[in-house]
């Protein structure tokens, strides 16, 4: 029994997890009296628990097909479009696709149906499905992922012209008529051009492959006939004299691979029964003129995706998208992790484009890049066969089941792409304001007393925090919605006590339900019949998870979702209050005794849907049902807060995610930045990594550096494994407590800026933390940069992710100045510069040309700052100009949806600082709430002008002169002038003159 992990004797120990042994090793080391800094903990991912592409039948088959194509000197795709079938009506192009390799088949399968939808947001949807399939292929992902029916470009100009000689159909469309789609008939391929420049190509490499559904008996008969007749590798040929001779064509190893693992598949002790047989498909997508592609989270890898194919490819495995609970995952590895978003963005100096492969089944993606020819400075194609004058990235997408359903976004700018993509899959729901403050978590705060002491510890050490989290041990035997009563005798009082200091609590609720007829949730679930079913479609599936034998709610069942949501009402969830929120973990789903630690693919969901088709969406369905529960539990609606570990495209509509069980190592601190940047690019900006690292024990330096970095994660939470030592921010003593306090206070000071960024992403999907290339799209020096990034358009952040570092090399992009946020010392771009990064700070700079709103009074929680005045930091550019915005609302309800908010735009230009109402005209509100009126009247208590070439001499507002004090920036880069009490409020129009 492992009491530390709360496993009861009846609960099977987690079979494939190695932390028991790693803990034993750890103890032995400690017994030797060695000081073990966990920064040195080696990763111990159990690779053998997870499939490689070669072990995944459909991946191996499609990769073998790609190898066949690559090895054939004149490979062309066998797919051809039948000209007579081409139609374009109301923004939808349709045609039939035939597979010419099937022409020798005595009973060829019906053609595939190709559809192109030209959308009114300038995106194009490409669908390929079987026509007259023997069974319908799963096509339900769109119902849960797309937010609303989209409009077609029918009211936008488009032209259809077919060049009969080349068989190419051309469609010209787009709001500016800027996009061209060229559809080649034989071989079939599609090319997308923006303003005449080729950007994305589909099937250019001819890797389109579609395993049409077939009956096992027919296939069996066919193969029996083949072996009766003669070997199918033999052909009878007639020479010119009519003499026949037998030519023996041996199937190559690769061709044999195309027929492997079609009907049943084994992995370790598990058999996947694959009742419908093979139904995978794959296609290549080329980003032309583009050498950097990004996205397809979740992998612990770099921002600019490394190649997985080609002679110098750093990885040999494709990137895998299959939501999995990967214990002690490894950095710099394309293995699948907890979440999947099949969204990829390609970017070059001249073009930007993206694709969204809307499929929730297991998916693998190969990436192959043209290489830079260092000698000539040109780029040449690795394969040697072709020489390309432009860099190109070729990708190969392979999914196990469903239909090929792809969106292509042609920008032309990244902003356009974020808007186009988020208009389909939704933007981030605006969180309550507490949710973007600091969260304190560990597995576990053990008792009510422990909670009280931890809470008091923050006040004693003057460190602000907003939320205290309880992990699985707070429950009665991992029965979610219950409390371990001896340890938490009065949860309501506990939450009210936190709430009295403006704080909230989060408890964990996982999707596995302990099988226990005396547990009301388990019993009701059984009576309502809401569990996922075994492959027979009748009996409920059971497996192991934290509570021992468990069952998994089928969130595809509408009845299950509603029932689940109702569990969060205050009368059902005993001991819950308005200030209690939810953490959804283990929702890949994690099944300790399942194949690859998840649920078998042949289990069945509502509507007879095989789990295989929807695996990557399961966690999101759970997340959404929980968010629904938290929303509907109150009469006056309150925005929900739910953190999820698993995710898919669209998760942003339900809450935040985090990067799961990272390690307390410098390497994991380093990889957190590219992981979060990637997840943000893929439409899920509200994300964070466990500060401090989940497994292991960070030393004081690593923990402090992690806090300093975590301040700039959109979701900012410290968390630790049950076996790790306590590490509340004051436990390492000085100077660390002061350093961590300073870091956390910086987050609180910038909360108005963060909240404004959340508002902005909720409108147009622009990421909150942004790769450098998003803000500097023409500077090639930043295209692969992922060790520094931007918060919004204004703050440049460079985390320190190496021990013993006191100086860091920072890239200052653009030609304008950058101001250190602590002392306003100035740096000037473009170029690398070594700057100080002593133990008490990491490099963070405000960009010239921006105005940032802050609240500078240290408080115990964000709630306590609600009535505090504001500071504006005006970082003037070389022309003396700057702009910025602030968004404010009640931070809690949905009344902002009806326009009950403040949105101000600040502008400094020509010696005038002005504030004006920037609320969209459509957001007229019938009644502005008392709260918002009160906030609008809060004063701006300080203006800080930086970047002025001369010291300001005179500042006035409404004809009244204001006192101004100027000092020189420490490294002589300009003047820092402060105006105290400028006599203006945050919500009013004003014009303030400065000279
Ligand atoms: C796994 C989660 O990733 C981790 O954060 C949590 O502490 C444990 N499950 C226990 O609930």
């Amino acid at each position: 029994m492992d009491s530390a992990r709360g496993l009861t004797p009846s609960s099977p120990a987690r079979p494939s997890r190695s932390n028991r042994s790693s803990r034993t090793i750890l103890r032995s080391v400690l017994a030797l009296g060695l000081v073990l800094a966990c920064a040195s903990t080696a990763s111990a991912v159990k690779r053998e628990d997870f499939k490689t592409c070669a072990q995944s039948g459909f991946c191996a088959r499609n990769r073998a097909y790609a190898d066949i194509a690559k090895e054939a000197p004149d490979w062309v795709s066998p797919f051809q479009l039948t000209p007579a079938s081409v139609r374009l009506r109301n923004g939808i192009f349709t045609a039939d696709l035939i597979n010419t390799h099937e022409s020798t088949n005595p009973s060829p399968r019906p053609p595939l149906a190709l559809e192109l939808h030209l959308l009114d947001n300038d995106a194009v949807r490409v669908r390929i499905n079987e026509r007259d399939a023997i069974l319908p292929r799963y096509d339900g992902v769109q119902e849960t992922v797309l937010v609303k029916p989209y409009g077609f470009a029918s009211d936008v100009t488009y032209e259809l012209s077919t060049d009969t000689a080349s068989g190419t159909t051309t469609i010209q469309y787009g709001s500016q008529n800027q996009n061209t789609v060229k559809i080649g008939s034989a071989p079939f391929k599609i090319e997308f051009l923006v303003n005449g420049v080729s950007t994305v190509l589909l099937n250019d490499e001819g890797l389109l492959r579609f395993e049409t559904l077939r009956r096992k008996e027919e296939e069996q008969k066919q193969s029996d006939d083949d072996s009766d007749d003669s070997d199918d590798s033999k052909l009878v040929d007639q020479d010119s004299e009519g003499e026949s001779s037998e030519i023996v064509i041996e199937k190559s190893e690769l061709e044999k691979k195309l027929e492997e693992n079609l009907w049943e598949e084994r992995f370790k002790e598990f058999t996947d029964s694959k009742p419908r047989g093979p139904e995978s498909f794959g296609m290549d997508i080329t980003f032309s003129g583009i050498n950097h592609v990004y996205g397809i989270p979740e992998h612990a890898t770099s921002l600019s995706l490394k190649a997985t194919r080609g002679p110098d490819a750093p990885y040999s495995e494709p990137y895998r998208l299959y939501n999995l609970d990967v214990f002690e995952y490894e950095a710099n590895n394309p293995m699948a992790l907890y979440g999947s978003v099949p969204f990829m963005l390609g970017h070059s100096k001249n073009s930007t484009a993206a694709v969204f492969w809307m499929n929730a089944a297991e998916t693998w993606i190969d990436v192959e890049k043209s290489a830079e020819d260092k000698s000539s400075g040109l780029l040449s194609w690795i394969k040697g066969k072709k020489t390309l004058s432009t860099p190109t990235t070729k990708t190969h997408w392979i999914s196990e089941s469903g239909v090929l359903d792809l969106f292509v976004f042609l920008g032309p700018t990244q902003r356009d792409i974020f808007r186009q993509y988020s208009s389909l899959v939704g933007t981030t729901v605006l969180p309550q304001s507490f949710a973007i403050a600091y969260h304190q978590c560990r597995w576990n705060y053990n008792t009510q007393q422990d909670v009280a002491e931890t809470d008091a510890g923050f006040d004693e050490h003057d460190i602000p925090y907003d939320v205290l989290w309880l992990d699985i041990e707070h429950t009665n035997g991992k029965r979610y919605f219950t409390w371990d009563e001896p340890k938490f005798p009065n949860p309501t009082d506990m939450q009210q006590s936190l709430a009295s200091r403006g704080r909230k609590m989060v408890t964990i609720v996982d999707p596995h339900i302990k099988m226990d007829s005396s547990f009301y949730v388990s019993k009701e679930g059984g009576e309502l019949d809401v569990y996922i079913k075994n492959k027979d479609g009748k009996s409920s599936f059971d497996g192991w998870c934290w509570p021992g034998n468990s069952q998994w709610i089928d969130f595809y069942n509408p009845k299950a979702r509603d029932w689940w949501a109702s569990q969060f009402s205050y009368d059902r969830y005993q001991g819950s209050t308005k200030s209690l929120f939810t953490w959804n973990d283990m929702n890949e789903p994690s099944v300790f005794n399942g194949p690859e630690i998840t649920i078998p693919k042949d289990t069945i969901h509502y509507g007879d849907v095989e789990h295989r088709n929807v695996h990557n969406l399961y966690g999101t369905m759970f997340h959404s049902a929980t968010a629904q529960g938290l929303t509907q539990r109150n009469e006056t609606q309150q925005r929900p807060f739910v953190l999820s570990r698993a995710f898919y495209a669209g998760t942003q509509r339900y809450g935040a995610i985090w990067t799961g069980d990272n390690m307390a190592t410098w390497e994991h601190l380093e990889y957190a930045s590219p992981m979060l940047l990637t997840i943000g690019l893929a439409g899920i900006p509200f994300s964070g990594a466990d500060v401090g690292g989940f497994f292991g024990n960070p030393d004081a330096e690593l923990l402090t550096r992690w806090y300093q970095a975590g301040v700039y994660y959109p979701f900012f939470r410290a968390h630790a494994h049950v076996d790790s030592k306590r590490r509340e921010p004051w436990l390492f003593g000085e100077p660390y407590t002061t350093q961590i306090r300073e870091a956390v206070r910086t987050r609180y000071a910038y909360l108005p800026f963060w909240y404004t960024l959340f508002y902005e992403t909720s409108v147009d999907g622009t990421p909150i933390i942004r790769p450098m290339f998003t803000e500097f799209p023409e500077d090639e020096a930043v295209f692969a940069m992922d060790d520094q990034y931007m918060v919004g358009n204004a703050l440049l952040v460079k985390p320190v992710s190496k021990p013993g570092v006191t100086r860091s090399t920072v890239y200052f992009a653009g030609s304008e100045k950058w101001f250190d946020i602590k002392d306003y010392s100035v740096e000037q771009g473009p170029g690398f510069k070594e700057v100080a990064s002593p133990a008490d700070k990491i490099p963070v700079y405000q960009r010239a040309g921006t105005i940032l709103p802050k609240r500078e009074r240290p408080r115990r929680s964000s709630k306590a700052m609600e009535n505090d005045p504001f500071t504006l930091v005006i970082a003037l550019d070389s022309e003396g100009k700057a702009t910025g915005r602030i968004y404010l609302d009640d931070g809690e309800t949905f009344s902002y949806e009806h326009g009950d908010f403040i949105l101000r735009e600040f502008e400094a230009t020509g010696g005038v600082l002005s504030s004006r109402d920037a609320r969209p005209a459509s957001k007229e509100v019938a009644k502005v709430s008392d709260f918002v009126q009160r906030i609008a009247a809060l004063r701006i208590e300080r203006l800080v002008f930086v970047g002025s070439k001369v010291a300001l001499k005179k500042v006035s507002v409404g004809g009244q002169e204001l006192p101004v004090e100027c000092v020189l920036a420490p490294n002589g880069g300009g003047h820092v002038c402060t105006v105290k009490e400028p006599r203006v409020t945050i919500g009013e129009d004003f014009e303030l003159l400065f000279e």
Side-chain angles (χ1 to χ4, degrees):
M1 169 179 168
D2 186 341
S3 59
R5 306 184 70 194
L7 299 174
T8 61
S10 60
S11 321
R14 197 167 187 172
S16 58
R17 304 224 148 187
S18 62
N19 72 330
R20 181 191 289 272
S21 55
S22 59
R23 205 168 62 242
T24 316
I25 297 166
L26 187 74
R27 285 195 183 130
S28 332
V29 174
L30 287 173
L32 284 173
L34 296 175
V35 178
L36 190 89
C38 253
S40 62
T41 308
S43 172
V45 69
K46 290 188 108 193
R47 283 170 189 257
E48 65 278 14
D49 280 350
F50 305 101
K51 289 183 187 174
T52 59
C53 175
Q55 290 167 318
S56 165
F58 75 94
C59 184
R61 294 196 295 277
N62 283 279
R63 232 190 183 197
Y65 189 72
D67 286 332
I68 292 170
K70 277 169 205 290
E71 282 175 14
D74 300 309
W75 175 266
V76 285
S77 171
F79 282 97
Q80 295 187 0
L81 193 139
T82 354
S85 65
V86 171
R87 304 260 180 293
L88 176 59
R89 201 174 299 134
N90 302 330
I92 303 183
F93 170 95
T94 51
D96 284 350
L97 272 179
I98 48 158
N99 182 347
T100 52
H101 282 180
E102 290 249 315
S103 54
T104 52
N105 186 338
S107 48
R109 301 189 203 285
L112 300 177
L114 167 73
E115 264 181 36
L116 259 74
H117 298 188
L118 307 171
L119 274 55
D120 58 2
N121 70 2
D122 290 356
V124 178
R125 182 180 189 182
V126 180
R127 284 169 55 83
I128 300 180
N129 197 355
E130 273 187 74
R131 197 182 284 300
D132 307 321
I134 56 164
L135 290 168
R137 296 177 74 101
Y138 182 71
D139 196 12
V141 177
Q142 51 187 331
E143 283 152 32
T144 41
V145 171
L146 299 181
V147 272
K148 53 177 193 288
Y150 47 76
F152 287 94
S154 48
D155 49 351
V156 177
T157 325
Y158 59 77
E159 289 161 18
L160 179 71
S161 59
T162 305
D163 174 341
T164 33
S166 68
T168 303
T169 302
T170 303
I171 306 171
Q172 191 70 35
Y173 84 102
S175 39
Q176 316 290 319
N177 213 29
Q178 74 279 27
N179 296 337
T180 312
V181 188
K182 286 190 175 173
I183 307 160
S185 307
F188 162 66
K189 74 170 184 179
I190 307 183
E191 181 177 15
F192 295 88
L193 302 96
V194 183
N195 295 321
V197 178
S198 178
T199 308
V200 172
L201 296 108
L202 309 183
N203 201 33
D204 191 42
E205 293 285 285
L207 305 188
L208 175 63
R209 183 169 175 274
F210 214 92
E211 292 176 339
T212 48
L213 287 160
R214 58 203 93 168
R215 295 193 200 286
K216 194 171 181 181
E217 315 82 63
E218 280 170 19
E219 179 131 319
Q220 193 57 50
K221 186 169 172 301
Q222 178 71 39
S223 92
D224 291 349
D225 292 351
D226 290 346
S227 48
D228 285 353
D229 272 6
S230 59
D231 188 326
D232 75 342
S233 58
K234 293 175 187 168
L235 286 181
V236 177
D237 190 39
Q238 291 202 327
D239 62 20
S240 49
E241 268 91 58
E243 296 279 342
S244 60
S245 62
E246 201 176 63
I247 304 171
V248 179
I249 305 172
E250 277 299 328
K251 274 191 179 151
S252 70
E253 284 308 309
L254 286 173
E255 283 164 333
K256 283 186 201 149
K257 275 196 187 161
L258 298 179
E259 284 156 25
E260 281 171 11
N261 290 314
L262 296 176
W263 291 97
E264 197 180 79
E265 216 167 313
R266 289 189 64 77
F267 176 66
K268 299 180 81 175
E269 68 270 35
F270 304 98
T271 302
D272 176 3
S273 67
K274 294 178 62 173
R276 288 156 57 101
E279 51 175 324
S280 79
F281 56 88
M283 186 174 69
D284 56 281
I285 302 176
T286 300
F287 291 85
S288 170
I290 288 175
N291 207 23
H292 291 278
V293 292
Y294 313 87
I296 53 166
E298 183 177 29
H299 305 100
T301 181
S302 51
L303 174 70
S304 172
L305 294 169
K306 294 176 186 158
T308 61
R309 294 282 247 175
D312 298 326
Y315 296 146
S316 54
E317 283 291 305
Y319 294 91
R320 188 181 189 199
L321 293 179
Y322 191 55
N323 292 0
L324 289 173
D325 179 3
V326 180
F327 184 69
E328 297 192 340
Y329 68 79
E330 215 171 71
N332 194 10
N333 191 319
M335 279 171 80
L337 289 176
Y338 314 94
S340 300
V341 187
F343 173 88
M344 182 183 275
L345 179 107
H347 179 75
S348 75
K349 205 168 166 174
N350 305 318
S351 59
T352 294
V355 294
F356 171 47
W357 178 270
M358 192 168 63
N359 189 287
E362 182 184 344
T363 296
W364 298 76
I365 303 141
D366 264 316
V367 173
E368 187 172 2
K369 292 185 174 205
S370 57
E372 209 168 341
D373 176 349
K374 299 258 164 37
S375 55
S376 68
L378 294 170
L379 292 138
S380 59
W381 189 243
I382 299 171
K383 224 159 108 175
K385 281 195 211 167
K386 301 173 186 174
T387 306
L388 300 181
S389 55
T390 48
T392 295
T393 303
K394 305 194 171 199
T395 61
H396 181 200
W397 299 64
I398 304 165
S399 285
E400 182 170 20
S401 61
V403 302
L404 193 160
D405 202 345
L406 173 79
F407 289 86
V408 180
F409 306 100
L410 298 174
T413 66
Q414 282 181 62
R415 286 288 169 109
D416 294 324
I417 289 176
F418 299 138
R419 186 178 40 75
Q420 290 158 358
Y421 175 57
S422 64
S423 73
L424 295 171
V425 300
T427 57
T428 298
V429 62
L430 194 61
Q432 288 208 36
S433 47
F434 79 82
I436 66 169
Y438 172 63
H439 301 249
Q440 180 65 31
C441 186
R442 82 167 271 114
W443 177 13
N444 219 86
Y445 287 110
N446 298 318
T447 60
Q448 208 163 315
Q449 181 65 18
D450 194 2
V451 167
E453 284 169 14
T454 307
D455 179 55
F458 278 91
D459 291 340
E460 244 165 67
H461 297 92
D462 264 339
I463 301 174
Y465 93 104
D466 267 52
V467 193
L468 200 116
W469 291 54
L470 294 181
D471 209 322
I472 47 176
E473 312 304 332
H474 81 277
T475 59
N476 170 14
K478 319 298 180 300
R479 293 168 182 85
Y480 308 109
F481 304 106
T482 69
W483 302 85
D484 181 338
E485 283 181 15
K487 293 182 178 161
F488 296 90
N490 205 331
T492 309
D493 281 1
M494 177 172 65
Q495 291 156 50
Q496 277 163 359
S497 162
L498 292 174
S500 70
R501 283 177 293 289
R503 293 177 178 145
K504 320 282 180 195
M505 175 160 262
V506 166
T507 50
I508 197 164
V509 177
D510 290 353
H512 48 256
I513 304 299
K514 183 176 174 69
M515 288 179 75
D516 170 2
S517 55
S518 67
F519 174 34
Y520 72 98
V521 179
S522 165
K523 186 160 165 277
E524 276 183 32
E527 286 162 3
L528 284 169
D529 194 18
V530 289
Y531 296 118
I532 299 178
K533 300 281 186 292
N534 283 310
K535 64 181 178 199
D536 62 11
K538 296 189 179 75
S539 55
S540 295
F541 168 81
D542 63 88
W544 295 347
C545 207
W546 299 126
N549 247 23
S550 308
Q551 292 173 309
W552 277 259
I553 312 277
D554 179 5
F555 293 100
Y556 282 88
N557 182 341
K559 184 173 73 179
R561 285 204 299 275
D562 288 344
W563 168 75
W564 182 258
S566 73
Q567 300 306 317
F568 292 88
S569 67
Y570 300 117
D571 55 339
R572 306 262 331 155
Y573 188 173
Q574 294 288 311
S576 67
T577 69
K578 200 174 167 221
S579 60
L580 186 73
F581 297 86
T582 309
W583 175 12
N584 281 169
D585 187 18
M586 313 297 278
N587 51 339
E588 295 71 29
S590 177
V591 179
F592 295 166
N593 59 341
E596 302 193 86
I597 332 289
T598 189
I599 197 163
K601 284 178 173 169
D602 53 10
T603 51
I604 303 293
H605 292 273
Y606 177 79
D608 212 17
V609 171
E610 240 194 308
H611 181 76
R612 167 182 339 273
N613 295 303
V614 292
H615 175 84
N616 287 342
L617 253 173
Y618 177 78
T620 306
M621 299 298 285
F622 171 46
H623 197 184
S624 119
T626 305
Q628 180 190 331
L630 290 192
T631 308
Q632 72 191 30
R633 69 181 176 171
N634 296 304
E635 269 169 30
T636 344
Q637 283 203 340
Q638 203 199 21
R639 290 175 233 167
F641 172 74
V642 187
L643 177 75
S644 167
R645 191 170 69 175
F647 57 87
Y648 187 75
T651 284
Q652 61 273 16
R653 311 201 298 259
Y654 312 114
I657 65 104
W658 93 110
T659 59
D661 297 349
N662 59 2
M663 322 252 298
T665 64
W666 290 96
E667 192 187 30
H668 273 254
L669 165 58
E670 184 186 336
Y671 273 83
S673 304
M675 287 178 78
L676 299 178
L677 290 170
T678 302
I679 293 166
L681 278 181
I684 309 182
F686 196 8
S687 68
D690 284 349
V691 168
F694 178 69
F695 289 114
N697 297 298
D699 62 15
E701 186 191 3
L702 175 56
L703 184 70
T704 308
R705 288 307 198 184
W706 215 318
Y707 268 98
Q708 290 168 342
V711 165
Y712 301 98
Y713 298 164
F715 173 61
F716 178 28
R717 183 188 75 155
H719 183 38
H721 186 263
V722 69
D723 290 337
S724 65
K725 294 185 206 152
R726 294 295 283 240
R727 51 165 106 138
E728 285 66 40
W730 52 90
L731 289 181
F732 285 89
E734 292 301 347
Y736 307 106
T737 307
T738 298
Q739 290 165 358
I740 295 175
R741 178 189 303 118
E742 190 48 35
V744 179
R745 282 184 176 180
T746 307
R747 171 64 167 226
Y748 278 76
Y750 282 104
L751 282 177
F753 172 49
W754 281 99
Y755 200 49
T756 305
L757 292 174
F758 271 89
Y759 165 73
E760 288 175 350
T761 194
S762 78
V763 173
D764 63 11
T766 309
I768 291 174
I769 60 168
R770 302 177 190 161
M772 296 301 293
F773 77 84
T774 295
E775 286 299 314
F776 299 93
E778 295 189 357
D779 184 350
E780 282 169 321
V782 303
F783 289 179
M785 197 172 275
D786 57 14
D787 57 354
Q788 64 176 63
Y789 57 86
M790 300 289 297
V791 178
N793 69 339
L795 288 184
L796 165 65
V797 180
K798 168 101 189 197
V800 170
S801 55
K802 297 270 180 297
V805 164
T806 56
R807 297 193 69 75
S808 299
T809 303
V810 177
Y811 183 76
F812 295 97
S815 53
E816 289 286 348
K817 290 180 174 154
W818 296 84
F819 304 92
D820 180 304
I821 62 160
K822 295 288 174 200
D823 64 10
Y824 300 120
S825 54
V826 186
E827 302 298 340
Q828 175 105 35
F832 288 96
K833 176 97 195 281
E834 199 185 90
V835 298
S837 53
D840 60 355
K841 70 174 216 188
I842 59 170
V844 182
Y845 289 83
Q846 184 175 342
R847 179 181 184 179
T850 62
I851 298 177
L852 287 186
K854 295 174 75 181
R855 274 176 158 154
E856 296 191 308
R857 302 182 177 200
R859 303 279 185 188
R860 52 167 50 149
S861 66
S862 68
K863 181 86 184 155
M865 298 170 85
E866 217 167 61
N867 295 317
D868 280 353
F870 296 88
T871 291
L872 297 184
V873 181
I874 303 121
L876 298 169
D877 67 12
S878 51
E879 292 176 4
K881 292 184 177 171
T883 55
R885 304 216 290 177
I886 189 168
Y887 171 86
L888 294 162
D889 64 14
D890 66 19
E892 191 181 325
T893 73
F894 288 100
S895 70
Y896 72 94
E897 288 181 348
H898 312 292
D900 185 19
F901 61 82
I902 297 165
L903 182 64
R904 309 291 311 178
E905 180 131 342
F906 307 113
E907 186 179 15
T909 183
V912 180
L913 172 70
S914 61
S915 169
R916 64 165 197 92
D917 188 2
R919 289 164 2 117
S922 59
K923 290 287 179 193
E924 280 318 312
V925 64
K927 181 181 178 312
V928 175
S929 64
D930 294 348
F931 183 91
V932 168
Q933 283 184 34
R934 200 175 76 235
I935 297 296
L938 291 175
R939 62 190 211 289
I940 296 178
E941 65 171 346
R942 191 175 298 117
L943 299 171
V944 183
F945 289 86
V946 294
S948 170
K949 288 182 191 119
V950 292
L952 298 187
K953 292 185 292 296
K954 193 171 160 200
V955 179
S956 63
V957 67
Q960 279 194 305
E961 205 164 312
L962 301 166
V964 55
E965 278 174 27
C966 294
V967 293
L968 266 181
N971 65 352
H975 297 267
V976 181
C977 299
T978 306
V979 179
K980 286 192 191 141
E981 300 301 345
R983 296 186 210 149
V984 289
T985 65
I986 199 73
E988 71 179 326
D989 288 350
F990 64 78
E991 284 201 346
L992 182 143
L993 311 182
F994 61 94
E995 56 184 79

